[in-house]
């Protein structure tokens, strides 16, 4: 099953919509609730990151009986130093993002913590690409 | 030790904003935070979220974290959009005019557990 969602930068009204839809699909597929939580927490963190940092982005989800793979591509400023961005507590979020309860420098580490496989690549001035894989039967 | 939502409402003299039909649900843990990034790292089930941050992303965070009841403190206003999202996600919303520290102390005394 393939699903696709668009995310707008700065849109904190709709941020979380894609994660919510994916959660409904995984529930319908009777996935384990602890695994669903790992998937949607990781995806929600990543979705909020697009809303917080990028101009826009696309979330693609591919679900089969074994695993869910989430591909997130944004058009945005990119991340100059990924290792630093992965450091808990490091953040470049705006005050608007912090007012929403985020921007504490915990998003990327929490995505990695919830994913079975996590790949992040980024090009400064172009955007960031994330691949999040979670196995559904482990 | 668990508490029904109705017992939480009663001991805090809190207002039920939505989900009145779900007050028999029980929680075992409580987590008090205005930082949603911290909420998203918690693994516990049957957990009450106590927060002074009232916006749509508070409810999205609860939805993703399988949190079934949110207690807003410090007299926060709940918008129609928040109400709609809470109903859609089946989240019970309750509210208290008290501080986060005060409601946390009362609920701790009633036996709700910290997550760590």
């Amino acid at each position: 099953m393939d699903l696709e969602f668009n995310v707008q930068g700065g849109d904190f009204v709709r941020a979380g919509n894609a994660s919510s839809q994916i959660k409904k699909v995984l529930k319908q597929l009777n996935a384990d609730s602890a695994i669903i939580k790992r998937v949607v927490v990781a995806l929600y963190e990543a979705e909020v990151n697009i809303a917080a940092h990028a101009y826009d982005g696309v979330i693609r989800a591919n679900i089969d009986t074994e695993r869910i793979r989430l591909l997130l591509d944004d058009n945005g400023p990119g991340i100059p130093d990924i290792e630093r961005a992965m450091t808990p507590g490091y953040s470049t979020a705006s005050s608007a993002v912090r007012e929403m309860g985020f921007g504490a420098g915990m998003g990327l580490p929490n995505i990695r913590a919830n994913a079975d496989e996590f790949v992040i690549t980024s090009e400064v001035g172009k955007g960031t690409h994330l691949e999040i894989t979670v196995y559904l039967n482990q | 030790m668990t508490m029904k939502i109705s017992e939480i409402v009663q001991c805090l003299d809190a207002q039920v904003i939505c989900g009145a039909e779900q007050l028999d649900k029980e929680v075992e843990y409580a987590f008090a935070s205005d930082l949603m990034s911290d909420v998203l790292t918690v693994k516990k089930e049957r957990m009450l979220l106590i927060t002074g941050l009232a916006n749509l992303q508070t409810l999205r965070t609860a939805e993703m974290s399988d949190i079934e009841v949110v207690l807003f403190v410090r007299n926060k206003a709940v918008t129609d959009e928040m109400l709609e999202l809470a109903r859609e996600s089946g989240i019970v919303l309750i509210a208290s005019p008290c501080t986060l520290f005060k409601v946390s102390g009362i609920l701790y005394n009633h036996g709700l557990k910290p997550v760590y």
Side-chain angles (χ1 to χ4, degrees):
Chain A
M1 183 190 299
D2 289 295
L3 300 162
E4 188 172 316
F5 305 90
N6 294 307
V7 183
Q8 281 302 310
D11 186 351
F12 280 101
V13 173
R14 293 192 63 232
N17 188 53
S19 307
S20 181
Q21 299 302 319
I22 296 279
K23 182 173 184 180
K24 289 189 181 94
V25 169
L26 291 174
K27 275 175 116 172
Q28 279 169 4
L29 294 173
N30 271 324
D32 177 77
S33 63
I35 291 175
I36 294 177
K37 182 170 169 177
R38 282 172 47 217
V39 172
V40 298
V41 164
L43 178 58
Y44 178 57
E45 294 269 22
E47 193 177 354
V48 166
N49 274 349
I50 295 177
H53 298 285
Y55 314 125
D56 57 53
V58 180
I59 296 173
R60 294 182 185 87
N62 174 262
I63 306 169
D64 62 28
T65 52
E66 300 286 315
R67 54 114 184 94
I68 176 164
R69 178 160 289 154
L70 301 160
L71 304 176
L72 297 93
D73 286 282
D74 71 44
N75 297 304
I79 303 171
D81 185 342
I82 288 178
E83 199 179 326
R84 198 170 176 203
M86 292 295 299
T87 307
Y90 177 76
S91 177
T92 60
S94 66
S95 57
V97 173
R98 291 171 199 266
E99 278 167 21
M100 298 303 292
F102 299 99
M106 297 168 64
L108 289 174
N110 200 28
I111 294 171
R112 181 166 58 186
N114 281 286
D116 288 316
E117 292 165 17
F118 176 55
V119 177
I120 175 168
T121 55
S122 190
E123 197 173 335
V124 173
K126 289 196 83 173
T128 299
H129 169 77
L130 263 63
E131 294 178 31
I132 300 165
T133 305
V134 176
Y135 292 98
L136 299 174
N137 304 311
Q138 294 178 5
Chain B
M1 176 75 194
T2 60
M3 279 183 92
K4 284 187 177 179
I5 299 174
S6 58
E7 293 169 328
I8 293 170
V9 169
Q10 194 175 16
C11 80
L12 296 175
D13 198 16
Q15 181 199 351
V16 178
I17 300 171
C18 77
E21 70 288 352
Q22 298 185 70
L23 298 188
D24 278 345
K25 280 191 175 163
E26 293 185 345
V27 291
E28 185 176 359
Y29 297 94
F31 190 70
S33 179
D34 288 356
L35 185 64
M36 295 304 112
S37 304
D38 272 341
V39 178
L40 287 166
T41 64
V42 177
K43 304 278 184 216
K44 293 277 189 275
E45 293 176 359
R46 295 204 298 171
M47 186 181 85
L48 167 73
L49 172 61
I50 311 169
T51 186
L53 187 80
N55 62 42
L56 281 172
Q57 298 310 320
T58 308
L59 299 174
R60 286 295 189 200
T61 298
E63 179 190 358
M64 302 314 154
S65 303
D66 292 331
I67 291 169
E68 294 177 318
V69 52
V70 177
L71 166 59
F72 290 119
V73 293
R74 305 192 297 265
N75 256 331
K76 295 299 165 188
V78 173
T79 63
D80 290 345
E81 289 85 0
M82 288 169 63
L83 207 51
E84 193 183 332
L85 190 54
R87 289 198 173 117
E88 199 180 293
S89 310
I91 296 168
V92 181
L93 297 184
I94 56 180
S96 163
C98 298
T99 62
L100 189 144
F101 179 74
K102 184 173 177 179
V103 301
S104 298
I106 293 170
L107 294 175
Y108 187 90
N109 268 337
H110 275 78
L112 282 190
K113 297 175 197 158
V115 300
Y116 54 78

